Amino acid sequence: RELADVQPSHNGLTFRPNPKYQLGNDRNYATQANQAKVVAVDRMGKFKPAFHITDTPDATNGPPVIDSAGNTIGGNGRAMQMQSVYAYNPEGAAAYRDLLSRKAGQFGLNPADVAGMKQPVQVREIAKADLGKPADMITASNNNGTQRPTPAVRGFPARRSRAPGA
């Protein structure tokens, strides 16, 4: 997809809520801790396209997971990183495009189609029939084993940090 057609919950350049995002994300990108995760990867030579262009089977790594309307369900931070890479890191964006073109056939894409795009981004789309409750899927992807949100990261007071039913 074109990056402009992928809607993360927040803008990767300003961290303000994205008015085009039709879902809700319980991760608070107003906090510096969450913003730092986006910025730390997209700039300063730390951006690694191979971490974004992959066939990993889980939603906590690789390309963002979206619904058919382009709303990001898993990987909001990664979608925001791509916005920042395309805006501020031309070398990283070129490396990303090159790797996506080279691997296009692996994902059933034509490399010429990728080359004709303004800002291509690999995504994984969940079919509407398989979507279930998007809010539950977003929360589950935010609570993965590698990055369980703390009260400070989520921006909530500690007394509200308990999991539902805990």
Side-chain angles (χ1 to χ4, degrees), residues 127-163:
K128 192 171 189 169
D130 297 329
L131 192 53
K133 292 177 75 177
D136 292 345
M137 296 181 87
I138 292 166
T139 298
S141 71
N142 282 342
N143 288 319
N144 68 64
T146 61
Q147 185 177 321
R148 188 162 312 281
T150 64
V153 169
R154 288 185 56 182
F156 295 118
R159 68 183 186 285
R160 292 188 57 201
S161 65
R162 290 184 357 170

Side-chain angles (χ1 to χ4, degrees), residues 3 6 37-43 46-56 58-65 72 74-86 89 92-93 95-97 99-100 103 106-107 120-124:
L3 181 60
V6 176
K37 292 175 199 168
V38 173
V39 174
V41 173
D42 64 1
R43 300 178 202 161
K46 294 183 180 183
F47 176 69
K48 305 287 186 228
F51 290 123
H52 291 260
I53 300 173
T54 178
D55 59 355
T56 183
D58 63 58
T60 59
N61 298 292
V65 178
T72 305
N76 272 286
R78 289 171 294 204
M80 292 165 55
Q81 286 169 353
M82 291 309 305
Q83 290 176 330
S84 190
V85 165
Y86 275 114
N89 184 345
Y96 180 88
R97 289 179 67 100
L99 183 60
L100 186 56
K103 289 190 158 197
Q106 176 183 341
F107 303 114
V121 62
Q122 182 190 9
V123 296
R124 293 173 286 183

Side-chain angles (χ1 to χ4, degrees), residues 5-59:
D5 297 329
V6 176
Q7 301 302 324
S9 62
H10 292 73
N11 182 296
L13 309 180
T14 66
F15 299 103
R16 290 191 174 118
N18 177 0
K20 294 181 181 178
Y21 189 66
Q22 300 169 359
L23 305 173
N25 186 354
D26 52 4
R27 180 155 290 145
N28 181 357
Y29 284 101
T31 68
Q32 287 186 342
N34 282 328
Q35 291 175 12
K37 292 175 199 168
V38 173
V39 174
V41 173
D42 64 1
R43 300 178 202 161
M44 301 172 273
K46 294 183 180 183
F47 176 69
K48 305 287 186 228
F51 290 123
H52 291 260
I53 300 173
T54 178
D55 59 355
T56 183
D58 63 58

